[in-house]
Amino acid sequence: MKRAVLFDLDGVLVDSRHAQLATLAGFATSALGRRVTVADLPTGAATIPREHVLAELGYAGAINQDSWDAATATATLTAEVFPFVADALAALHAADVGTGIVTLRNRQRVNWLLPPGILDLIDIVVCYEDAVPKPAPDGLLLALEKLGVSPGDAVFVGDMEADMHAAQAAGVTPIGCGWGFSDPSTLTHAGAAVVLPHADDLAGTLLSLTGAGLRGA
C-alpha cells in the first residue's frame, strides 16, 4: 500500500519567517518612500494578509507584482531549509513513502527557496497556480492523485490553521508543525491530530504516523 507525507513549505521545511518579514519591510520601504524595518511591522505580520500589514503601515494601494517579486527574491536569500529536512525526506524515500509540497507560493518562489538537492527529494509540488488555495482541499487532493495515494493513507504537515482545515476537508490526517508560524494550541484547536513539538527524529515520527515503518525493520 502506497503512503504519502505532504508538507506545507514556509515554516515547515524552510525557516522563512525573517524572509517574509523582510519582504514586507522592503516592499513598504519602496512603496512609501521611507525606511521601514522589520521592527516597524505590526505584531503578527508574518501570519496575517500582506494587504492588512501594508495598510497598517499607511499603504493602501495596489501591490505591484514586479516590486513584490523583487523584494521577495532579495529577502529569500536569508531563508534556509531547516537542517533536519534533507535527512527526513531521504528516509521517507528509502521507506517508499511518497512526498509532496502543497504551498501558497507560486512555482517561481518555490525555486527561490529550495535548493535542487531538496527538490530532488520531493515527488510532487503543488503551487498557488495549480489548484484552489488552502484552506480548500484541492491542492492536497491534486498532489495525492499524482502520487497515486488515497487520502486515508496520507498525512499533511502544516503550521497554519488553513493547513489543518485543508487536510480535514481532503480526508488527510492533519499533523501540526510545532516549530512553524503558529503555536501548538492554535493548531490543536484547528483540528491537528497531533502537533509535533520539535523536529527530533522527524522521519521516524512521520513513518510511524503513516504506518509505513522503516524498510527492512
Side-chain angles (χ1 to χ4, degrees):
M1 179 186 300
K2 183 73 172 179
R3 299 181 184 275
V5 177
L6 304 179
F7 298 91
D8 180 37
L9 178 61
D10 290 280
V12 177
L13 300 181
V14 178
D15 187 2
S16 57
R17 179 186 294 271
H18 185 270
Q20 290 198 31
L21 296 174
T23 297
L24 286 163
F27 180 86
T29 294
S30 176
L32 295 171
R34 60 178 172 82
R35 177 181 171 84
V36 178
T37 70
V38 168
D40 298 321
L41 300 176
T43 301
T47 59
I48 59 180
R50 61 185 183 176
E51 293 83 1
H52 296 177
V53 176
L54 294 170
E56 191 163 336
L57 293 170
Y59 180 78
I63 295 177
N64 179 278
Q65 199 58 54
D66 288 339
S67 297
W68 184 263
D69 282 347
T72 301
T74 301
T76 52
L77 296 176
T78 67
E80 297 285 347
V81 174
F82 286 110
F84 51 81
V85 166
D87 288 345
L89 292 174
L92 292 172
H93 267 274
D96 196 31
V97 175
T99 56
I101 292 173
V102 181
T103 177
L104 297 181
R105 295 267 190 180
N106 66 32
R107 197 163 300 278
Q108 180 184 40
R109 292 174 190 158
V110 170
N111 291 333
W112 293 344
L113 282 165
L114 292 178
I118 296 297
L119 285 169
D120 288 344
L121 294 170
I122 299 293
D123 296 316
I124 183 70
V125 179
V126 175
C127 298
Y128 179 86
E129 61 266 39
D130 297 325
V132 179
K134 298 172 290 185
D138 301 50
L140 279 71
L141 294 173
L142 177 59
L144 293 175
E145 178 184 354
K146 290 181 177 295
L147 289 169
V149 176
S150 65
D153 295 321
V155 302
F156 180 51
V157 184
D159 67 332
M160 300 290 287
E161 291 177 275
D163 296 327
M164 303 300 101
H165 296 160
Q168 289 176 308
V172 172
T173 301
I175 304 298
C177 161
W179 59 88
F181 284 85
S182 300
D183 61 76
S185 62
T186 297
L187 297 174
T188 299
H189 187 263
V194 62
V195 177
L196 307 179
H198 47 69
D200 292 350
D201 192 27
L202 177 60
T205 301
L206 292 175
L207 288 169
S208 176
L209 288 168
T210 61
L214 290 171
R215 178 176 288 179

